[in-house]
Structure formats: structure tokens, C-alpha cells
Amino acid sequence: MLNAGASARRDNQFGRDAYSMSETRQPHSAEHFTNDRDHWWNADYLDLLQQRYALQTCRRVLEFGAGIGHWTVLLRGLCAPDATFTLIEREPEWIAALERRFSDQPGIAAVCADVTDMPTFDAPFDLVTCQTLLMHIADVEEVLRAARRLLRPGGLLLVVEPNNLANRLQATPDSGLTPEEFGALAALWWAWEIGRTKRGFGREWIAEELPRLIVRAGFTNLTASQNDKLFLRYPPYDTLDQTVVHGSLTEAIAAATELEPRTQVWDYCLAGGLDALGFERGWAALEMLARRTSDGLCAGSLSSAGLANFCVFGARAPFS
Ligand SMILES: C[S@@+](CC[C@H](N)C(=O)[O-])C[C@H]1O[C@@H](n2cnc3c(N)ncnc32)[C@H](O)[C@@H]1O
């Protein structure tokens, strides 16, 4: 048995956003807006969030980095039935997609803007929220300060962000990696993260930093929890969840060996302080893990709990 972990591009649910700006000329995250985003949450955990944060009392909602509305749709069912949603998105293509998606739903407006340079609004919001946005932002504290300014006193900040450094390192001893190979893999992803940040693409482990940043941005009553969804993988890999997240078995086998582009990983890793030898060792371990994942799927021996560090932070704008 081995843990599919985060070795291959498709297997890392929350890490699949990293390259979109630098690698392709498509709009940000284009290749990642797939149906699996609708399966990131257990419905009863969302109910718990609603209860915990009294989301049903939120009537004016502002979402940062809305993409094509995956988080919006879920929130819509949790906030006040007559809630209005203002969706901030930088990519004109996604604005058009949002307008199409919500054209028959009054009260949802898409605004083309950069969250690092927010426009002003007529009235403050009850809720400012985002999902997998801050991991792409260089100056997260600035965006959090903007959120605070736009909230009413006592208004809720609700942010959902991963720690993809942890998510990428979920190989178990069953993966067949030696301790040295696992160390090389860890060094590769560690350097990759540092290099990515240096290149100005944000921090994929942003969840770890958020408590400090949220408090520094002036919020109070900080609470946090963890999305309780696990992305199970077990033979014969044909449950609805597995099929939606990983595709058919044939697709999953192909995707298992679909690694991040080597030149991109090289660039980030060297920017992050890894030398050429360290990179080659890490890359070899990555390839081996990917191959074992693919082989494990073919043989029907791969099994994984699919842990995902995906955190929910709630905090309140101060009253004074
Ligand atoms: C990973 S996607 C998340 C989309 C959506 N929140 C979801 O969970 O499906 C990140 C989104 O943030 C947008 N984005 C990235 N940087 C932004 C910025 N500085 N201002 C506004 N939107 C931004 C991207 O265009 C992309 O649609």
C-alpha cells in the first residue's frame, strides 16, 4: 500500500492552483475549475460552520477571488435567504463566467477588481470571505486589512486556506521511498515553496501563517477548524467521490504520473535555495512516488485516507 499523497499534480487537491499564472496564458486557475471543487466539503460540516458563525444572519456578503463561483454556491445556501453577494474577481473571463452562472439569480453581482486594490462600497458587509485565494497573494496582511475596512463592526471574516506543504508530503513507508529519498522529496517541496514565495506567487502553506496575520490585521475573536473531508482512495476506486476527484481509474492512472513541469519546479527550487544535486535527488523521489502511485492503482493495491490540511478561520471586525 502507499499513500497517493501529493506526489502527482492531480492528487493534490489544494495544490493545483500554483502554476496557473506563470505557466499558461489562460486566466488564473483555469485548469483547476473542475467539478471536484463541488466535492471538497461534507454537507454537515458546512452546516456546522453555519451554526458556529451564525451565517444565516449574514445579509451582505463580499467574496474575494470568487473564480467561477464554487465557494459562492455553497455559501449561498448557508447565508440569509435574501443575502446579496458581491463577488470580486480579477480575471475578466471569470467575471463573464460568474455573470452567466448567476444570471437568473438576483442579488449576486460580479465586480472585476484586484483584492490588493479594492474599490469602495456604499455600505459595509456582514461577511467577507474567500476560499483558496490568500495562498496566491504576496501581501496577505494588506488584503486582510482591506477586508476589515469593508466589514461592519462585529462583521465576520471567514477564510478557507490550505497548508499544501504538509499536503504534498504524505508519503507513507509503504510508498517504498527510503528515508533519504523522503528527505530529498521534503527538501524539494520545501525549497519549491520558498522559491514560489520569492517569485511573488504567495505561500501555499498560508494556513500556518494566518492566525498571526489575521490578528495583526486587527481582527478579534479568532477561531479555527479543519475541513473534515478526507479524500479516500481504495480499490476498486469507483465510488462517486473518487471518480469525481480523481476521474475514472484510467484517468487516475494517467494523472498519477503527470508531474508539475520540471522547468518550473527547477526554477522555484533553485530560487528557494536547493542546489542542482538536491533538485535531482528530490525529482527522482518525486518520479518514483508518482510511478508507485500509478502502479498501485493498476494493481489495485493503493489505499489512502487522503488527508488534506484545509483550514477554516473565522474572526470578527472590532467594534472600535
Ligand atoms: C484558486 S482560485 C479560487 C476560486 C474560488 N474561490 C474557489 O474556491 O473556487 C483563486 C481565484 O482568485 C483570483 N485571484 C487571484 N489573485 C487575485 C487578486 N489579486 N484579485 C482578485 N482575484 C484574484 C483568481 O483569478 C482565481 O479565480
Side-chain angles (χ1 to χ4, degrees), residues 17 21 27-29 33 37 40 63-71 88-91 94 113-116 130-133 135-137:
D17 303 327
M21 283 189 290
H28 191 283
S29 301
F33 288 148
R37 279 185 178 255
W40 277 7
E63 184 183 345
F64 284 172
I68 61 171
H70 286 95
W71 183 228
I88 304 298
E89 176 50 60
R90 194 181 52 184
E91 300 285 349
W94 300 152
D114 194 309
V115 295
T116 61
C130 61
Q131 172 176 272
T132 60
L133 166 75
M135 60 187 284
H136 299 293
I137 300 291

Side-chain angles (χ1 to χ4, degrees), residues 234-258:
Y234 55 94
Y237 316 111
D238 60 356
T239 59
L240 175 63
D241 246 30
Q242 292 185 84
T243 311
V244 169
V245 172
H246 300 289
S248 67
L249 182 55
T250 310
E251 288 167 336
I253 289 167
T257 49
E258 185 191 320

